[in-house]
Amino acid sequence: YSSAVQKFSQTLQSFQFDFIGDTLTDDEINIAESFKEFAELLQEVELERSMMVQNASDLLIKPLENFRKEQIGFTKERKKKFEKDGEKFYSMLDRHLHLSSKKKESQLQEADLQVDKERHNFFESSLEYVYQIQEVQESKKFSIVEPVLAFLHSLFTYNNLTVELTQDFLPYKQQLQLSLQNTRNHFSSTREELEDLKKRMKEAPLTCKLPGQPTIEGYLYTQEKWALGISWVKYYCQYEKEAKTLRMTPMDQKPGAKQGTLDLTLKSCVRRKTDSIDKRFCFDIETNERSGTITLQALSEANRRLWMEAMDGKEPIYHSPITKQEEMELNEVGFKFVRKCINAVETKGITTEGIYRTVGSNIQVQKLLNAFFDPKCPGDVDLQSSDWDIKTITSSLKFYLRNLSEPVMTYRLHKELVSAAKSENLDYRLGAIHALVYKLPDKNREMLELLIRHLVNICEHSRENLMSPSNMGVIFGPTLMRAQEDTVAAMMNIKFQNIVVEILIEHFAKIYSGPPEDSAAPPVLPPRVTARRHKPITISKRPLRERPVFFGASVGEGEGE
């Protein structure tokens, strides 16, 4: 049923009415749009319905079953192993304690070794068992509640949608029935005129006049990037060399699509390296009308040569990746690099959606870093140039910071910063981080201020770029802070590193207005009675809203319900 409804909806969506004449009546307009309205209604209802049915399995049953099998089941296995090893160890220990002291020294030593071995196995089993219990207890806080929450949201959304749609659809249905009847009446009274018009349309000659002969023309495929992936769209392209104009007419135009012919002015053309893309015969162009590069695919190698020759195309420049650790230092060149990156981002990309979260091309990042940190001419790169897009610049900045020999917030203060972020007292948390910032070496504190000021500016445009202090904390926590040793405990503390960065962004003005009054000693925890703590979210204390009454139910019934 679901599959049939989806196919029917797609058919309605793609169906196009053809009307004769240059103007439609109001009734014809209603009819022309009706199938799209039907399709959207069907898709909306069926999508929600199928999601609700599917969510019962995907969002509720399967996650809970997986948690039971994988986590609880694994814990039970650990328990069995722990009990088995414990029983084995204690029985051996009992036998060992009953050994006579008159036995040979070699026999006693061998018995001691066996007991030590079993004790080690038992201790290892107990540690693994305790660790697994802790992991299950911690993860079930979200692994069990999340599926139920997601399913309930799906259920309520579907029920609410169908009620609203039913109410909206009834007046629409009446109006459309009236339009259908009016149109049927018009058709009956004008049948002869329609026949005559049809005859004249058949006899009318079709003429088509082509413009002046272009330098080169033919089919090219263009790489189009969408939210869910990449597609290649076929265009008929005409290039005029003298004016450097490229006209691109889409060949695979979908019904209802608004995209038409593109008229572009060429700036540059470069052959695409084979190892940088999984398609053959590609080349990149840059135009005045579009930011960034446009990747085109020719029909063959010979065809690509013709296009590149017409467009005065160039060969790509090869770069080797940075491998020397000493190039990533907090020095003068590094400061210059960070300032240039920040300036470029704030000048031409501060409102870019998902800035710093979206990753750039690794090839372009290495190309930029090689050029900027070139020992012969360090820093001689113009990041304002259109050669470098925002994703490349932000990824290069993160790469530089993450690959410093020591993180910006230093190994020495790492444990204290994490400890401060773990405090449940919000005032102490802020005060401790404030004090620790001023314990950083001068150049580290200067770099941190430079970066946090930039992140504050980014977050001020969160409506456009959708990047909040919390988002930035997730991105820059592991970039500005890291433990000296990679351990499980250090990995578990990454979320607190993110909190540190989030606090620095949210309280930037206070922290960088100057050091705390007594920066020599960290703040003391205030008494618990007056502590300001984070309040948990609640829904039970929300103001009650008037409940809507559906399908003619009386007010009394609604209130009783």
Side-chain angles (χ1 to χ4, degrees), residues 59-120:
L59 296 183
L60 183 64
I61 299 170
K62 286 182 181 176
L64 295 179
E65 283 184 345
N66 289 341
F67 184 81
R68 180 175 56 80
K69 290 176 185 175
E70 295 172 6
Q71 296 293 329
I72 299 176
F74 187 62
T75 308
K76 287 180 178 178
E77 290 177 12
R78 290 289 188 197
K79 182 183 179 183
K80 288 178 184 176
K81 187 175 184 304
F82 164 72
E83 290 174 344
K84 184 179 177 182
D85 290 345
E87 186 180 347
K88 189 175 179 182
F89 167 64
Y90 285 118
S91 61
M92 178 174 281
L93 188 62
D94 288 341
R95 291 197 303 271
H96 183 68
L97 293 174
H98 287 85
L99 281 178
S100 171
S101 59
K102 295 178 181 179
K103 285 189 174 287
K104 292 181 181 179
E105 186 64 28
S106 60
Q107 289 177 324
L108 294 173
Q109 286 179 356
E110 185 179 352
D112 289 344
L113 285 173
Q114 287 179 348
V115 170
D116 285 343
K117 183 180 177 183
E118 286 303 323
R119 179 186 289 110
H120 178 76

Side-chain angles (χ1 to χ4, degrees), residues 347-406:
T347 304
K348 62 180 185 177
I350 199 166
T351 58
T352 304
E353 184 174 330
I355 189 168
Y356 282 109
R357 185 175 56 208
T358 313
V359 182
S361 160
N362 189 48
I363 295 172
Q364 287 295 100
V365 168
Q366 296 296 348
K367 180 180 174 182
L368 172 55
L369 291 169
N370 273 291
F372 200 100
F373 292 93
D374 186 355
K376 296 177 183 176
C377 49
D380 189 20
V381 177
D382 180 17
L383 297 185
Q384 299 289 349
S385 163
S386 58
D387 295 340
W388 311 109
D389 60 24
I390 291 299
K391 289 187 292 186
T392 301
I393 295 170
T394 54
S395 297
S396 301
L397 176 59
K398 289 188 292 183
F399 182 94
Y400 166 75
L401 294 170
R402 192 166 285 205
N403 287 275
L404 289 170
S405 54
E406 184 177 20

Side-chain angles (χ1 to χ4, degrees), residues 275-319:
D275 58 356
S276 69
I277 194 167
D278 63 348
K279 296 280 188 180
R280 302 170 68 198
F281 321 129
C282 292
F283 59 99
D284 291 340
I285 63 168
E286 291 183 344
T287 64
N288 292 331
E289 291 76 10
R290 283 194 175 186
S291 60
T293 59
I294 301 173
T295 301
L296 301 173
Q297 183 186 28
L299 303 180
S300 65
E301 183 59 38
N303 186 237
R304 176 169 67 175
R305 281 198 298 269
L306 290 173
W307 280 99
M308 288 190 62
E309 184 179 343
M311 295 180 171
D312 298 322
K314 297 178 181 177
E315 288 296 309
I317 303 169
Y318 292 83
H319 291 271

Side-chain angles (χ1 to χ4, degrees), residues 48 51-52 55-56 59-60 144-160 539:
E48 291 294 333
M51 281 178 63
M52 183 195 67
N55 286 346
L59 296 183
L60 183 64
I144 290 180
V145 176
E146 277 180 343
V148 182
L149 178 65
F151 175 68
L152 284 178
H153 179 261
S154 167
L155 182 66
F156 296 150
T157 302
Y158 173 71
N159 289 337
N160 188 51
I539 194 173

Side-chain angles (χ1 to χ4, degrees), residues 490-531:
M491 297 302 106
M492 297 292 285
N493 283 334
I494 287 178
K495 55 189 173 186
F496 297 108
Q497 297 172 195
N498 304 344
I499 290 172
V500 170
V501 175
E502 187 178 345
I503 288 172
L504 290 174
I505 295 172
E506 290 178 335
H507 301 279
F508 173 79
K510 176 179 174 64
I511 292 173
Y512 282 98
S513 61
E517 295 177 358
D518 186 11
S519 57
V524 184
L525 276 169
R528 286 187 175 272
V529 214
T530 58

